Amino acid sequence: MNNQIDISPQLNRAIHGNANSNHMTGCACDIRVSGMEQALRYAVILMDYADESKQEFDELLIERNRYRAIWVHFAVRPKENRRKILFINA
């Protein structure tokens, strides 16, 4: 049984997602937050957990769009994780 959740290429295009997005393979999630302070708190929790459990991650991004909505993007791949941490203003 495959527990992986993929999003469709059509949905990915509709939301202007990257064709190679970790969302496309079920390896990423976005966490909606109520502001930058909450985003930073979640980011610290995720980094602390990764360090304590020795679990690598691919991306930890705090993103904000043109409407000022903020979310935390977190991705863990089966291999070749990059531990990329960024703030993105779109």
Side-chain angles (χ1 to χ4, degrees):
M1 181 177 177
N2 183 355
N3 291 327
Q4 183 171 308
I5 301 171
D6 299 338
I7 66 169
S8 72
Q10 295 85 2
L11 175 59
N12 194 54
R13 276 193 300 278
I15 61 172
H16 306 287
N18 183 315
N20 297 322
S21 168
N22 282 317
H23 289 288
M24 295 296 296
T25 57
C27 292
C29 68
D30 291 332
I31 304 166
R32 285 193 288 175
V33 296
S34 61
M36 186 58 74
E37 181 179 341
Q38 189 178 40
L40 291 169
R41 288 175 186 256
Y42 278 117
V44 168
I45 290 167
L46 290 166
M47 286 188 295
D48 284 348
Y49 178 77
D51 289 345
E52 290 170 14
S53 67
K54 300 194 181 353
Q55 171 67 51
E56 286 301 319
F57 62 90
D58 189 48
E59 298 172 319
L60 175 57
L61 314 175
I62 296 177
E63 301 182 72
R64 180 170 49 194
N65 66 15
R66 64 181 178 215
Y67 305 109
R68 305 195 55 78
I70 299 172
W71 63 94
V72 176
H73 167 92
F74 190 66
V76 177
R77 299 192 293 191
K79 60 183 178 177
E80 299 175 2
N81 289 290
R82 301 169 289 173
R83 201 173 177 99
K84 180 167 90 172
I85 301 170
L86 292 173
F87 288 92
I88 297 176
N89 246 337

